Every structure is written in C-alpha cells, then in structure tokens.
Amino acid sequence: MTDKYRIDSHKLLFHPTRVSDWIQGKNVYPLYMEISPTGGCNHRCTYCALDFMGYEKRNLDTAILKARLKEMAGLGLKSVMYAGEGEPFLHPDMVEITQAAKAYGIDNAFTTNATKIDQDVAEAIMPVTSWIKVSINGSTKETYAKIHRSKPADYDTVITNMAYCGELKRKNKLDCALGMQLLLLPENQHEAVDLAKLAKKIGMDYLVIKPYSQHPLSKTHLYENVTYDNLDKLSLDLQAVSGDGFSVIYRRETMATWDHKAHEYGACLALPFWSYMDAGGNIWGCSMYMESPDFKERFLYGNINEQSFEEIWNSKKRLDALAWVQNELDVSNCRVNCRMDKVNKYLWELKHPAAHVNFI
C-alpha cells in the first residue's frame, strides 16, 4: 500500500540542515508544532487520549496566536497541525488563523472530526492548507455514533462535508491532500473495507488504518489490551481498494510496535524539533506529560500570553528540561507509538550508528 506522505514513517530526513545543527549541539527551533486552538469538543470519543484535559471551553486568543505564529515562522517553524484536546473548527476564528499562518509562510494541517467544515469553511481553508485528516471510525451511522459518542446524524454531515471538499479540490485543482483516518477497534474492524470504498468514492486521497495507543493519563482504559495479530486478510482486502489515485495506508509497523510495546531507542531526542501548544497558550515539551502530577513542571516551558516564543524556547527552564529528558527520562514509561516515535528511532541511530557506516 502506497504511503507517499510517509504517514507510517517520518520526514525529519528532509531537513538535514536543522538536524546537522542539532548534532553540533546548537539550540535549534522547532520545525513542527501541534496547536490546540480550543479545548471544547462536540464529540466524546471512546478512545480519546486527552479526555483528562476535561474538554474545557477555552480558546486561544486570536491576536496573540497570530503574533506568535508570525514570530515562530521567522524563527524557523515550518508547519502547524491544528488538533489537540478539542475540535479545532470550534474556534470561532479558525479560518482567519489558518489564512494568517499561511501568509507568514507556515504550512497548515488539520486533524478534525469535520462536522464543522461546511462549504464556506472548505472554500476558505483548502487553498491555504496542506492536508486535512478526518477521524471517522465507522462506515455506518450506528458504529460511528457509538465510538464517537455523537449524534448519528453527524456521520452524514461529515460525509457531505468531505464529498464537497473532494469536489472542490478537483474543480479548482487544489493541492490540499484529503484523508480519512480509522482507529482500528474491535467495534469497527468489520467496517474498514466499506469505509475505504466510501472514502475513495467521495474523492479522498487516502484512508489511514492505525492502531490504538494508550495515553498514560487518559481516563479511558477500554482498549489498552487490544491487539492487532491475525489481520492479514483485512490488510489484503484493504489493499485491493487502493488504486486510481487513492491509497489505503495500513500502519503495519505501528501496529507491530503497539503489540510488542517496544521503544527502539534509549532516550527521547526529538523534543528540539517540535512542540505542543494547548488551548490555554501553554507551551509543552511533550503532550504526554500535560497535567502529569509528577512531570508537569518539567515539560511546561511557558505561556504565549506572558512571553514571546523566543523567550520561552531559549529559557533556562526549557534547556534544563531538555537535558533532563535526554539524560534521565526512562522512555520505557513513555506512550507507545507517540507522535515522535519514528523520529526518535532515526535520531538515536544517527547518534549511535551501527558498524561499517562508511561503506555507503
């Protein structure tokens, strides 16, 4: 199955200058940031990793966020994915923020439930967005509503919205990649192939099939023992749907990592290359440790409402935290398949090369 977007891999290898600066010990700025524009969410998914954040109805201040995005672009930030603890399109100024970020030179992306991407929103954001990935965890209203804990009618809304996005992309020859994502659970495995066919029919570029990942702070433990063995037939059936410009990206490597619960590196090295901003403006070194009673102070670097991003990133607090993470944090306790897992494998190998690397 073609994965031209390297969804089951990483893309840090395309930034050798930044990596080289890091290897030389320079204080590099992040290439990528995840931003949670709002804490509110209109769904209560059974698998939600950030349920511990409480779905607080708070929004990032638009003017301050735009100022920080402009600043971060000047410091070397290349991309932002809007997602996090809430549904990004519940922020009243999401269109304005997206357009501003693109004007500053930042690539935009969304992970969303797509219930709020109506025609006006689609027409405004798609020309300035690199990709939109929709969480949709069933091919029937019943399964969707059960997993998303939403109104069954939301399923029809999502399909209508994304079909329009597909039409808009074709008509205007837009570069925005359109994807759907199904978190493979016991309740929806039997609907994965039908969802792939539907995604292809309405003009999506891909469907991602990914495994569950237990967040240590999550209130839900419903799926912490789920496994992904004996799914070869499903993989083949999904592969048969690919073609004619559509791909099913079956995250086999990530599923294997989940089943074996292994971290193939001895330290977390990825934190200099990315960061996370919550809906209150806090800058975190890692989203896994947000609100952690033991590690919160280690990973909370500062707040954009109180400091510039440059001040936060260059602060002694962040640099001390970075040193502690690289030298003392036990990664065996980290989340399996965290966002930076593949990046960490790459950086660890650079720092700890195998024998005979000069024989290229």
Side-chain angles (χ1 to χ4, degrees):
M1 302 178 191
T2 303
D3 183 10
K4 70 177 182 179
Y5 301 110
R6 299 180 67 87
I7 291 173
D8 204 26
S9 182
H10 74 93
K11 294 176 275 287
L12 189 58
L13 75 167
F14 296 110
H15 300 276
T17 301
R18 196 77 59 99
V19 174
S20 175
D21 287 344
W22 170 78
I23 289 173
Q24 295 175 57
K26 296 180 181 179
N27 180 33
V28 300
Y29 286 98
L31 286 157
Y32 162 72
M33 175 172 278
E34 293 181 15
I35 294 179
S36 182
T38 180
C41 192
N42 54 345
H43 287 182
R44 292 293 185 271
C45 299
T46 57
Y47 58 84
C48 182
L50 297 183
D51 54 2
F52 65 92
M53 295 295 286
Y55 308 107
E56 185 179 347
K57 293 182 179 179
R58 56 179 183 171
N59 296 326
L60 287 170
D61 181 272
T62 301
I64 293 175
L65 177 57
K66 286 167 62 177
R68 295 294 177 262
L69 285 169
K70 186 174 184 179
E71 177 200 3
M72 290 188 289
L75 294 171
L77 186 71
K78 299 293 186 184
S79 65
V80 167
M81 182 184 76
Y82 305 98
E85 71 238 47
E87 164 51 44
F89 286 102
L90 289 178
H91 192 292
D93 298 324
M94 198 66 255
V95 168
E96 178 186 343
I97 292 165
T98 310
Q99 292 173 333
K102 187 63 176 178
Y104 303 147
I106 294 173
D107 293 338
N108 295 298
F110 291 91
T111 295
T112 170
N113 63 36
T115 55
K116 300 299 180 182
I117 306 180
D118 60 22
Q119 293 186 9
D120 290 340
V121 170
E123 290 168 7
I125 66 161
M126 282 186 63
V128 294
T129 298
S130 296
W131 54 264
I132 300 170
K133 189 185 299 175
V134 179
S135 295
I136 177 168
N137 294 287
S139 66
T140 64
K141 293 180 185 180
E142 293 75 20
T143 300
Y144 177 89
K146 179 181 178 181
I147 295 174
H148 286 252
R149 289 194 285 195
S150 65
K151 298 177 294 184
D154 280 0
Y155 176 81
D156 291 331
T157 299
V158 171
I159 299 303
T160 298
N161 288 350
M162 295 315 296
Y164 183 77
C165 288
E167 178 185 344
L168 190 66
K169 176 176 178 171
R170 290 191 301 273
K171 183 174 68 175
N172 294 340
K173 296 182 170 62
L174 298 174
D175 293 328
C176 180
L178 300 173
M180 289 181 165
Q181 179 168 273
L182 179 136
L183 185 66
L184 200 59
L185 302 170
E187 299 96 316
N188 63 17
Q189 290 183 12
H190 64 291
E191 296 185 8
V193 174
D194 286 342
L195 182 61
K197 292 176 180 177
L198 178 59
K200 183 177 183 178
K201 179 181 178 181
I202 66 173
M204 300 297 98
D205 295 295
Y206 62 84
L207 170 68
V208 176
I209 306 292
K210 65 176 288 187
Y212 177 73
S213 175
Q214 180 70 43
H215 194 297
L217 297 178
S218 179
K219 294 180 180 179
T220 180
H221 293 267
L222 183 62
Y223 304 110
E224 64 180 342
N225 295 316
V226 69
T227 62
Y228 294 99
D229 294 328
N230 304 315
L231 293 175
D232 289 345
K233 184 179 185 303
L234 177 60
S235 175
L236 291 172
D237 290 344
L238 287 165
Q239 187 174 355
V241 183
S242 293
D244 300 322
F246 175 80
S247 298
V248 177
I249 302 167
Y250 188 82
R251 298 191 64 178
R252 187 184 301 276
E253 287 187 23
T254 308
M255 291 180 189
T257 300
W258 168 256
D259 281 343
H260 296 104
K261 305 292 191 293
H263 292 88
E264 298 177 29
Y265 41 88
C268 179
L269 303 175
L271 300 193
F273 298 96
W274 85 296
S275 191
Y276 182 93
M277 182 189 300
D278 72 20
N282 294 308
I283 300 294
W284 297 89
C286 178
S287 59
M288 196 193 93
Y289 294 104
M290 292 190 301
E291 305 306 329
S292 165
D294 298 323
F295 297 105
K296 176 179 178 178
E297 290 307 312
R298 292 272 188 194
F299 289 91
L300 177 56
Y301 295 157
N303 189 290
I304 63 165
N305 298 304
E306 301 165 0
Q307 296 173 282
S308 70
F309 185 78
E310 186 173 18
E311 290 172 332
I312 294 170
W313 202 251
N314 292 328
S315 67
K316 184 177 184 298
K317 182 175 184 179
R318 188 191 79 88
L319 297 176
D320 287 347
L322 202 62
W324 181 84
V325 167
Q326 293 183 4
N327 296 317
E328 297 186 46
L329 178 67
D330 183 358
V331 294
S332 67
N333 296 321
C334 288
R335 185 179 185 183
V336 177
N337 286 325
C338 83
R339 188 82 70 186
M340 291 294 114
D341 185 65
K342 299 292 174 65
V343 170
N344 268 318
K345 292 178 184 178
Y346 170 67
L347 295 174
W348 183 259
E349 190 173 9
L350 285 179
K351 285 282 193 177
H352 304 84
H356 307 159
V357 294
N358 293 334
F359 294 86
I360 63 173

